[in-house]
């Protein structure tokens, strides 16, 4: 990572992961990470732009990793399970920051305007693309993707609160088995009759 902006962004992300975003100003952030407010402005513009860059970098990392798993593994359920391992490992460092930034979107804070697209759509699209390869039905793939992302995030949240990684791993295994059964049996979506 020789790009000065990328190096600076990595330092910002690590600081926020350890201390939270809260209402940290660019000036105090700069002092804490050993740079100047001018450099933060130069590379990111405003605090809003910096926070958007933080979220996009985190999600881009996860989306790229997810797409690589799906490219390397023909079975989306196996790839999804492997993705959980990566996400759960990263959550120890970045999970609280992820949920803090998610709450900014829920409160419709100005800097979080694009977070819905960044946090939800990219990940769901990656899962939907993979599911479509086994279901052949885009609408069903999209439904399964939304459910998968929601279950994964919910279990990550629980794990960050109670620290019980084994329980979340076990729940993911059950969920993967349920989705596999659903896809292999060709069962109709809930509420529909064949």
């Amino acid at each position: 990572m020789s790009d000065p902006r990328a190096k600076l962004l990595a330092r910002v992300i690590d600081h926020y992961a350890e201390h939270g975003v809260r209402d940290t100003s660019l000036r105090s952030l700069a002092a804490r990470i050993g740079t100047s407010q001018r450099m933060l402005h130069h590379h990111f513009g405003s605090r809003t732009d910096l926070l958007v860059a933080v979220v996009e970098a985190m999600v881009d990392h996860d989306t790229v990793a997810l797409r690589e798993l799906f490219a390397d593994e023909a079975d989306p359920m196996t790839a999804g399970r492997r993705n959980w391992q990566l996400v759960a490992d990263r959550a120890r460092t970045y999970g609280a920051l992820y949920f803090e930034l998610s709450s900014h979107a829920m409160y419709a804070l100005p800097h979080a305007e694009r977070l819905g697209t960044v946090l939800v759509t990219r990940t769901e699209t990656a899962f939907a693309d993979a599911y479509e390869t086994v279901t052949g039905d885009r609408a069903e793939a999209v439904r399964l993707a939304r459910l998968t992302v929601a279950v994964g995030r919910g279990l990550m949240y629980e794990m960050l609160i109670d620290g019980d990684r084994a329980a979340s791993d076990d729940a993911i295994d059950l969920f993967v088995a349920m989705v596999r059964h659903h896809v292999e049996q060709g069962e109709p979506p809930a509420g529909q009759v064949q």
Side-chain angles (χ1 to χ4, degrees), residues 167-186:
S168 289
D169 285 349
D170 186 52
I172 283 289
D173 288 338
L174 175 60
F175 177 72
V176 168
M178 292 167 62
V179 172
R180 185 180 300 282
H181 177 78
H182 172 79
V183 169
E184 290 175 355
Q185 298 301 313

Side-chain angles (χ1 to χ4, degrees), residues 18-127:
E18 185 175 349
H19 302 285
V21 174
R22 296 183 178 88
D23 59 356
T24 306
S25 69
L26 287 183
R27 178 174 297 177
S28 61
L29 174 64
R32 291 176 186 166
I33 65 171
T35 190
S36 67
Q37 184 177 355
R38 183 185 66 75
M39 288 306 292
L40 289 175
H41 277 294
H42 171 73
H43 288 293
F44 304 104
S46 69
R47 180 177 185 268
T48 297
D49 296 332
L50 174 62
L51 290 172
V52 169
V54 166
V55 173
E56 288 183 348
M58 292 175 65
V59 175
D60 283 347
H61 175 277
D62 292 345
T63 304
V64 166
L66 181 60
R67 288 201 179 275
E68 287 174 357
L69 284 172
F70 286 137
D72 293 343
E73 175 58 61
D75 175 31
M77 273 46 101
T78 301
R81 179 62 175 89
R82 287 176 52 207
N83 180 65
W84 165 256
Q85 293 297 328
L86 296 173
V87 167
D89 289 345
R90 268 180 62 84
R92 292 177 185 189
T93 303
Y94 301 106
L97 174 59
Y98 174 86
F99 283 108
E100 181 181 2
L101 292 168
S102 297
S103 74
H104 294 185
M106 293 174 205
Y107 285 112
L109 298 180
H111 67 267
E113 186 176 323
R114 296 185 358 226
L115 295 188
T117 299
V118 175
L119 291 174
V120 178
T121 307
R122 289 185 194 176
T123 307
E124 284 185 5
T125 299
F127 272 102

